[in-house]
Amino acid sequence: MPLRIGAVAIDFPVGLGALAGYSDLPYRLICRSLGAPYCITEAMLDRQVLLEGRLRKRLIRLDPADHPVAGQIMGVEPETMADAARSLDRMGFDIIDLNFACPVRKVVSHKRGGALMNDPERALATVRAVVDAVPGRPVTLKLRRAFRDADRTHESFWTIARGAFEAGASAIAVHARSVEQKYTGRADWGFLAEVKRAFPERTVLGSGDVSSPAEALRMMAETGVDGVLAARGAIGNPWFFAQARDLTAGRPPRQPGLDEQREVITRHYRLACEAYDPRRGLKILRHFSLQYAKMHPRRTDLRNALVKVRTEDEWRAVIDAFYSS
Ligand SMILES: Cc1cc2nc3c(=O)[nH]c(=O)nc-3n(C[C@H](O)[C@H](O)[C@H](O)COP(=O)(O)O)c2cc1C
């Protein structure tokens, strides 16, 4: 079941969605090593992408083992978004993804992210400017089903989706919640089915309530979307992708033992120290270990031990104590 986004071929239809605070290069590399075929960066402000020098280097990282990868941008002015897209294109991102979905109040009040679901004209001006700016590079959109929860006509959604495909967008990813819903309530998979029926020849990716590999496959089977973006379900479970591949092949999903979990967690720590610095690496891994603990048989004890950790030695001691088989 390969997936295609413009000229980019993706060998398996379950990828890692954009996750602020999680889908950075270290975690993307961990997910890649466990079968993720496609990953999206955290949302980046267009203005940050256009910064020069060291700050940009910290923010934007690519690695030969992390392809195909989409760089996701968020902004207000179509021309600034186009400049940021050009910049990501030159850096070697395979796909440019536009965020019209983020519900965070500060983002929406600055007319960015999910605010675009309420402003189809600006959304489409942005798509056109970005498509023109990066000829040959696939451009994708992350949308919500509507801005307001009560909106059952989804008029802005349809205007943006149709206009974007006409303007040359290669795919849309639809988070089947409204912007107002943020991350609560159920995602409307029935709406995903409607979207796929409306665009049978286009690439449509689904997002929302993909809580497990089995749910990822169920979303594709029930809605007909071409691919799925895992999000919260893949935080702390990078085996998600290998498990989805197992289920697709009719094998029982791989269940990593404690030794393998420890190997992945310590590798993640090394990658985070390399990408940032040891202090930030520890901070990130302390936070991530609480998520990895979801898979541990003594998760409550482990979490209680992890929240007390202050130093690298303490962190390592907890990991060694809980993850030896
Ligand atoms: C902590 C967190 C950060 C997120 N950051 C982004 C982001 O930067 N860009 C984006 O398009 N979506 C972002 N999302 C939305 C997810 O990609 C996904 O669409 C959403 O969580 C619904 O999927 P789920 O119900 O399976 O988690 C984020 C979600 C969470 C929970």
Side-chain angles (χ1 to χ4, degrees):
M1 304 193 282
L3 173 67
R4 221 164 227 296
I5 298 182
V8 175
I10 297 167
D11 82 326
F12 185 69
V14 181
L16 176 67
L19 285 164
Y22 296 99
S23 68
D24 62 350
L25 178 63
Y27 195 55
R28 297 201 304 271
L29 288 173
I30 291 292
C31 291
R32 294 275 183 191
S33 72
L34 294 163
Y38 173 54
C39 298
I40 307 179
T41 65
E42 310 171 76
M44 301 178 274
L45 279 187
D46 51 2
R47 290 203 311 252
Q48 285 176 336
V49 173
L50 293 168
L51 289 173
E52 296 296 330
R54 283 179 52 198
L55 181 59
R56 188 170 87 157
K57 265 204 193 136
R58 276 181 71 98
L59 281 169
I60 306 172
R61 287 160 193 283
L62 273 171
D63 186 281
D66 183 31
H67 289 284
V69 61
Q72 188 185 74
I73 46 177
M74 192 157 76
V76 185
E77 296 303 330
E79 278 318 312
T80 318
M81 288 286 273
D83 287 341
R86 258 184 225 107
S87 180
L88 294 180
D89 175 55
R90 278 195 300 271
M91 282 182 242
F93 281 92
D94 304 286
I95 290 168
I96 309 296
D97 188 39
L98 311 180
N99 181 319
F100 297 161
C102 178
V104 171
R105 193 181 317 199
K106 209 171 80 187
V107 169
V108 173
S109 67
H110 285 91
K111 300 191 163 58
R112 300 185 182 113
L116 276 299
M117 290 305 305
N118 236 353
D119 193 351
E121 227 167 273
R122 185 181 286 274
L124 288 176
T126 305
V127 176
R128 285 185 210 108
V130 170
V131 167
D132 285 351
V134 291
R137 190 68 82 190
V139 174
T140 60
L141 281 59
K142 172 76 172 288
L143 303 173
R144 293 256 181 169
R145 66 167 174 78
F147 186 88
R148 299 208 181 286
D149 201 32
D151 177 0
R152 297 287 145 182
T153 65
H154 311 282
E155 204 177 306
S156 298
F157 173 90
W158 294 113
T159 306
I160 297 171
R162 279 203 194 93
F165 282 132
E166 278 164 21
S170 296
I172 58 174
V174 184
H175 178 181
R177 289 188 174 88
S178 66
V179 177
E180 278 182 350
Q181 249 183 304
K182 297 190 171 154
Y183 297 100
T184 60
R186 300 294 297 173
D188 181 356
W189 288 15
F191 183 66
L192 293 179
E194 212 179 308
V195 174
K196 186 57 210 174
R197 277 198 302 275
F199 301 112
E201 306 297 327
R202 306 289 196 168
T203 301
V204 177
L205 306 178
S207 166
D209 292 337
V210 180
S211 53
S212 67
E215 288 297 276
L217 303 195
R218 188 168 73 84
M219 178 187 271
M220 283 189 286
E222 287 186 7
T223 70
V225 291
D226 305 282
V228 168
L229 296 172
R232 284 172 291 185
I235 299 177
N237 177 15
W239 291 271
F240 193 105
F241 307 94
Q243 291 167 339
R245 286 179 191 263
D246 285 338
L247 286 174
T248 304
R251 297 186 292 261
R254 168 167 166 189
Q255 298 301 339
L258 290 179
D259 287 335
E260 184 177 345
Q261 292 182 42
R262 176 168 56 182
E263 185 278 318
V264 165
I265 294 167
T266 50
R267 179 151 50 93
H268 189 173
Y269 175 57
R270 272 200 311 279
L271 289 167
C273 291
E274 273 165 39
Y276 307 106
D277 56 62
R279 231 183 97 190
R280 180 128 181 248
L282 180 64
K283 192 166 169 238
I284 290 172
L285 260 290
R286 263 175 37 197
H287 181 61
F288 248 107
S289 312
L290 293 167
Q291 301 286 345
Y292 281 118
K294 283 196 288 210
M295 305 193 54
H296 196 282
R298 289 168 53 213
R299 68 172 83 171
T300 308
D301 294 344
L302 172 53
R303 283 194 168 139
N304 290 340
L306 283 167
V307 291
K308 296 192 194 110
V309 158
R310 292 288 169 269
T311 65
E312 181 189 343
D313 287 346
E314 287 169 9
W315 180 74
R316 279 194 188 279
V318 172
I319 298 297
D320 284 346
F322 278 83
Y323 286 94
S324 50
S325 52

